Amino acid sequence: VQVVFDPEKISLVDILRWFWEAHDPTQGMGQGNDRGTQYRSGLYYFDDEQKQLFESSKTAYEKALKAKGKGQGDEITTEIRAAADFPDSKVFYYGEDYHQQYLAKPGARPYCSAEPQVVSLPAFEEWAPASLLEKHAPKLSQDFWAAHGPTPHCVIRSPNEAIKWP
């Protein structure tokens, strides 16, 4: 999934929280019954700040998973690499047409193999590099997470329309 966002409205750290909490990042090359490289968990950074945030959040989330005895694997297997490692920095490819807006198509079944672990990413202040605390502070409130955050068994529990900002 390629994520495009307005950093004035949402922080990269908010996106990282959703990323970690919305799937089981310990499953290697797959999610649930879906297996193969196309189902792997990955984060691809474009600068050193992103790299630091990705790696620090991974360490924090892995500790949180272990503390709760969650995750199918022993450690997080999410691939974290520089976008520059790929030819022309191309790390995103569109899925086949039949995968696009799948849940909005007639006859689609709400299938989900992401398997959220119901473990929160620890508070940003607990894991963020000190030099990035102010610039990348979360912008979404706890009320947002209570209403829209990932839930057990699946993250698919709402209409396919975009979430409206207050």
Side-chain angles (χ1 to χ4, degrees), residues 14-35:
D14 294 313
I15 294 168
L16 281 172
R17 179 174 175 180
W18 188 278
F19 173 81
W20 293 121
E21 294 181 18
H23 76 300
D24 179 357
T26 70
Q27 292 192 31
M29 293 294 177
Q31 288 295 305
N33 292 326
D34 294 325
R35 309 307 301 163

Side-chain angles (χ1 to χ4, degrees), residues 1-5 15 92:
V1 174
Q2 180 181 36
V3 178
V4 178
F5 66 100
I15 294 168
F92 176 78

